[in-house]
Amino acid sequence: MTTTQRPVPTRPLGTTGPAVSALGLGCMGMSALYGESDRAESIATIHAALDAGVTLLDTGDFYGMGHNELLIAEALRSAPAAAREQALTSVKFGALRTVEGGFTGYDGRPAAVKNFAAYSLQRLGTDHIDIYRIARVDPDVPIEETVGAIAELVEAGHVRHIGLSEVGADTLRRAAAVAPIADLQIEYSLISRSIEEKILPTARELGIGITAYGVLSRGLISGHFTRDRELAPGDFRGMSPRFQGENLQRNLDLVDRLRALAEAKGVTVAQTAIAWVLAQGERQGADIVPLIGARRRDRLVEALGALDVTLDAADLAAIEEAVPAGAAAGERYPAAQMAHLDSEH
């Protein structure tokens, strides 16, 4: 494992998608689900990411009920023109919310797709969305109808590329038969590797890129999560099985193993975990783009350092021996949310 200095490289999102930075910035935590955040620091982090060469900004219209899209719009308005012009927005839609913040399902009807898009365009202050995807498959609407509606938005110039999120291999094939799919956004990390069996090979067969979220498993394998940490009110990790009781202790045992390898090489745990995901894409032509959920500039700088980490075959073998596939304790979501994942069925 060695480190070098290099600019942020780009990777294509599949065979039909745009070229994007090799790391994307996941902006969800700036608005929702991890407790309170600092608006000024969030905007400064987006600016720092753009300045460093990060071009892909990932959001969802339901993150903070539109707050996240408005935050990104504010950050882009106040960014230098050159950075603003290079930025690409990836937007998820479809989640239905309550006033209290609960989730009540998903709506993938064509009329709803176009309605969601109209609101997102207004909040983002732009005339197009670069990549548009339903957050979870609506079980009551065939994926062909949902993707067909996005394809009509592409034809009208309101959307540039079609993406998908958390779909299984069969759904991926059905969607790709309707219109070109740029990428599949799905959880993928050292402790979430289920896509390797069917979904990742299918995406590669179809020329569909992967934007991997949860590469640090919501901070669990970042090296910064302590055994005695108390989560803030509103932090959804308080309901996540992997952060509960004995599961948490077993998962942090895995992190300790990873930490020993990282420290021996002079890099951080987070950089090692991110570099591992990057390496999985590099094995097949750089087809995986990790999304980094940094809410602060210091965490962004650390994450970008993963681009300077080179893992050779021995490094990868040691990492996978320390954290074997399937070693995580607990599911990645509570049971009610797991039921919404087409990728898990």
Side-chain angles (χ1 to χ4, degrees), residues 63-120:
Y63 293 165
M65 282 82 152
H67 177 279
N68 205 235
E69 290 178 319
L70 292 169
L71 182 76
I72 289 173
E74 182 179 346
L76 290 176
R77 281 197 306 270
S78 53
R84 184 169 59 250
E85 291 168 3
Q86 292 296 316
L88 300 173
T89 53
S90 170
V91 179
K92 290 179 290 298
F93 68 88
L96 303 176
R97 305 293 301 273
T98 66
V99 173
E100 295 75 21
F103 288 85
T104 60
Y106 296 89
D107 192 344
R109 294 171 302 149
V113 173
K114 295 174 182 179
N115 178 76
F116 288 131
Y119 277 74
S120 284

Side-chain angles (χ1 to χ4, degrees), residues 208-283:
I208 297 171
I210 298 289
T211 43
Y213 76 89
V215 294
L216 297 179
S217 198
R218 299 161 185 82
L220 182 59
I221 59 172
S222 67
H224 300 297
F225 202 95
T226 59
R227 294 178 186 272
D228 59 352
R229 179 172 173 177
E230 293 187 8
L231 296 171
D235 191 323
F236 86 110
R237 290 174 293 188
M239 298 182 293
S240 172
R242 290 183 176 174
F243 288 84
Q244 304 300 309
E246 184 61 28
N247 285 351
L248 176 62
Q249 302 308 316
R250 289 172 57 190
N251 290 330
L252 291 179
D253 287 343
L254 298 175
V255 177
D256 287 341
R257 297 182 199 170
L258 190 61
R259 190 188 312 277
L261 294 175
E263 290 180 348
K265 301 299 183 180
V267 297
T268 71
V269 175
Q271 288 167 345
T272 304
I274 297 166
W276 180 87
V277 176
L278 284 165
Q280 306 317 302
E282 288 163 357
R283 288 172 168 177

